[in-house]
Short mmCIF file of all heavy atoms in Angstrom, two decimals:
data_model
loop_
_atom_site.label_atom_id
_atom_site.label_comp_id
_atom_site.label_asym_id
_atom_site.label_seq_id
_atom_site.Cartn_x
_atom_site.Cartn_y
_atom_site.Cartn_z
N ASP A 683 -4.97 -5.76 18.25
CA ASP A 683 -5.03 -5.16 17.01
C ASP A 683 -4.40 -5.85 15.85
O ASP A 683 -4.88 -5.89 14.76
CB ASP A 683 -4.30 -3.70 17.13
CG ASP A 683 -5.13 -2.80 18.02
OD1 ASP A 683 -6.39 -2.99 18.12
OD2 ASP A 683 -4.52 -1.85 18.46
N VAL A 684 -3.30 -6.58 16.16
CA VAL A 684 -2.59 -7.37 15.19
C VAL A 684 -3.58 -8.47 14.70
O VAL A 684 -3.78 -8.68 13.44
CB VAL A 684 -1.31 -8.11 15.72
CG1 VAL A 684 -0.82 -9.10 14.73
CG2 VAL A 684 -0.32 -7.00 15.98
N TYR A 685 -4.26 -9.18 15.55
CA TYR A 685 -5.18 -10.25 15.07
C TYR A 685 -6.45 -9.65 14.48
O TYR A 685 -6.96 -10.22 13.44
CB TYR A 685 -5.56 -11.16 16.27
CG TYR A 685 -4.52 -12.21 16.47
CD1 TYR A 685 -3.43 -12.08 17.23
CD2 TYR A 685 -4.69 -13.38 15.66
CE1 TYR A 685 -2.47 -12.99 17.33
CE2 TYR A 685 -3.70 -14.39 15.83
CZ TYR A 685 -2.58 -14.26 16.62
OH TYR A 685 -1.65 -15.27 16.75
N ARG A 686 -6.96 -8.50 14.95
CA ARG A 686 -8.13 -7.90 14.35
C ARG A 686 -7.84 -7.47 12.94
O ARG A 686 -8.58 -7.82 12.01
CB ARG A 686 -8.48 -6.63 15.21
CG ARG A 686 -9.62 -5.84 14.62
CD ARG A 686 -9.94 -4.67 15.47
NE ARG A 686 -8.89 -3.80 15.64
CZ ARG A 686 -8.51 -2.86 14.70
NH1 ARG A 686 -9.16 -2.68 13.63
NH2 ARG A 686 -7.43 -2.08 14.96
N LEU A 687 -6.62 -6.88 12.66
CA LEU A 687 -6.35 -6.45 11.35
C LEU A 687 -6.03 -7.57 10.39
O LEU A 687 -6.29 -7.57 9.22
CB LEU A 687 -5.24 -5.41 11.32
CG LEU A 687 -5.64 -4.00 11.90
CD1 LEU A 687 -4.40 -3.19 12.11
CD2 LEU A 687 -6.60 -3.38 11.09
N SER A 688 -5.33 -8.59 11.00
CA SER A 688 -5.02 -9.80 10.20
C SER A 688 -6.33 -10.47 9.65
O SER A 688 -6.40 -10.91 8.58
CB SER A 688 -4.19 -10.75 11.02
OG SER A 688 -2.96 -10.16 11.36
N ARG A 689 -7.30 -10.67 10.61
CA ARG A 689 -8.52 -11.21 10.23
C ARG A 689 -9.33 -10.44 9.17
O ARG A 689 -9.84 -10.94 8.18
CB ARG A 689 -9.51 -11.45 11.47
CG ARG A 689 -9.08 -12.60 12.29
CD ARG A 689 -10.10 -12.99 13.33
NE ARG A 689 -10.46 -11.83 14.26
CZ ARG A 689 -9.88 -11.79 15.42
NH1 ARG A 689 -9.02 -12.76 15.84
NH2 ARG A 689 -10.10 -10.74 16.25
N LEU A 690 -9.29 -9.11 9.39
CA LEU A 690 -9.95 -8.18 8.40
C LEU A 690 -9.33 -8.31 7.07
O LEU A 690 -9.97 -8.38 6.02
CB LEU A 690 -9.85 -6.70 8.99
CG LEU A 690 -10.31 -5.72 7.97
CD1 LEU A 690 -11.77 -5.69 7.73
CD2 LEU A 690 -9.86 -4.28 8.43
N TYR A 691 -7.96 -8.33 7.01
CA TYR A 691 -7.20 -8.42 5.75
C TYR A 691 -7.51 -9.64 5.07
O TYR A 691 -7.64 -9.73 3.78
CB TYR A 691 -5.78 -8.30 5.98
CG TYR A 691 -4.94 -8.07 4.75
CD1 TYR A 691 -4.86 -6.88 4.15
CD2 TYR A 691 -4.21 -9.16 4.16
CE1 TYR A 691 -4.26 -6.67 2.95
CE2 TYR A 691 -3.47 -9.00 3.04
CZ TYR A 691 -3.50 -7.70 2.44
OH TYR A 691 -2.87 -7.60 1.25
N ASP A 692 -7.56 -10.80 5.74
CA ASP A 692 -7.84 -12.11 5.07
C ASP A 692 -9.22 -12.22 4.52
O ASP A 692 -9.49 -12.95 3.55
CB ASP A 692 -7.57 -13.22 6.08
CG ASP A 692 -6.05 -13.40 6.36
OD1 ASP A 692 -5.29 -12.93 5.58
OD2 ASP A 692 -5.79 -14.01 7.46
N ARG A 693 -10.18 -11.50 5.13
CA ARG A 693 -11.55 -11.55 4.70
C ARG A 693 -11.89 -10.39 3.68
O ARG A 693 -12.96 -10.47 3.07
CB ARG A 693 -12.44 -11.43 5.88
CG ARG A 693 -12.38 -12.56 6.90
CD ARG A 693 -13.15 -12.32 8.23
NE ARG A 693 -13.02 -13.40 9.13
CZ ARG A 693 -13.54 -13.37 10.39
NH1 ARG A 693 -14.26 -12.37 10.76
NH2 ARG A 693 -13.26 -14.41 11.20
N LEU A 694 -11.06 -9.40 3.62
CA LEU A 694 -11.32 -8.28 2.75
C LEU A 694 -11.24 -8.66 1.30
O LEU A 694 -10.23 -9.30 0.84
CB LEU A 694 -10.25 -7.14 3.02
CG LEU A 694 -10.39 -5.91 2.29
CD1 LEU A 694 -11.78 -5.23 2.55
CD2 LEU A 694 -9.23 -4.89 2.60
N SER A 695 -12.29 -8.41 0.49
CA SER A 695 -12.35 -8.74 -0.89
C SER A 695 -11.59 -7.80 -1.70
O SER A 695 -11.46 -6.57 -1.39
CB SER A 695 -13.77 -8.90 -1.38
OG SER A 695 -14.44 -7.65 -1.33
N ASP A 696 -11.01 -8.20 -2.88
CA ASP A 696 -10.39 -7.38 -3.79
C ASP A 696 -11.39 -6.22 -4.30
O ASP A 696 -10.99 -5.05 -4.51
CB ASP A 696 -9.80 -8.12 -5.07
CG ASP A 696 -8.73 -9.02 -4.62
OD1 ASP A 696 -8.19 -8.86 -3.55
OD2 ASP A 696 -8.50 -10.02 -5.44
N ARG A 697 -12.59 -6.58 -4.52
CA ARG A 697 -13.66 -5.62 -5.09
C ARG A 697 -13.85 -4.53 -4.07
O ARG A 697 -13.80 -3.31 -4.43
CB ARG A 697 -14.90 -6.31 -5.48
CG ARG A 697 -15.94 -5.32 -5.81
CD ARG A 697 -17.13 -5.94 -6.40
NE ARG A 697 -18.20 -4.86 -6.49
CZ ARG A 697 -18.21 -3.92 -7.39
NH1 ARG A 697 -17.28 -3.86 -8.30
NH2 ARG A 697 -19.23 -3.02 -7.42
N ALA A 698 -13.97 -4.88 -2.80
CA ALA A 698 -14.20 -3.78 -1.71
C ALA A 698 -13.02 -2.78 -1.74
O ALA A 698 -13.18 -1.67 -1.56
CB ALA A 698 -14.41 -4.45 -0.48
N ALA A 699 -11.82 -3.39 -1.78
CA ALA A 699 -10.64 -2.59 -1.73
C ALA A 699 -10.55 -1.65 -2.98
O ALA A 699 -10.21 -0.43 -2.80
CB ALA A 699 -9.35 -3.44 -1.61
N LEU A 700 -10.90 -2.18 -4.19
CA LEU A 700 -10.83 -1.34 -5.42
C LEU A 700 -11.92 -0.27 -5.49
O LEU A 700 -11.71 0.73 -6.07
CB LEU A 700 -10.81 -2.26 -6.63
CG LEU A 700 -9.58 -3.17 -6.71
CD1 LEU A 700 -9.75 -4.15 -7.83
CD2 LEU A 700 -8.18 -2.28 -6.94
N VAL A 701 -13.10 -0.65 -4.91
CA VAL A 701 -14.16 0.45 -4.85
C VAL A 701 -13.73 1.54 -3.86
O VAL A 701 -13.91 2.71 -4.29
CB VAL A 701 -15.52 -0.18 -4.37
CG1 VAL A 701 -16.54 0.86 -4.15
CG2 VAL A 701 -16.04 -1.18 -5.48
N MET A 702 -13.15 1.18 -2.74
CA MET A 702 -12.64 2.21 -1.88
C MET A 702 -11.48 2.99 -2.56
O MET A 702 -11.41 4.28 -2.26
CB MET A 702 -12.19 1.56 -0.55
CG MET A 702 -11.70 2.54 0.49
SD MET A 702 -12.90 3.89 0.98
CE MET A 702 -13.95 2.91 1.98
#
Side-chain angles (χ1 to χ4, degrees):
D683 287 341
V684 170
Y685 273 91
R686 174 179 61 82
L687 290 172
S688 295
R689 285 194 296 265
L690 172 69
Y691 190 76
D692 290 339
R693 297 173 183 175
L694 181 61
S695 67
D696 293 342
R697 171 169 171 74
L700 292 174
V701 171
M702 181 58 73

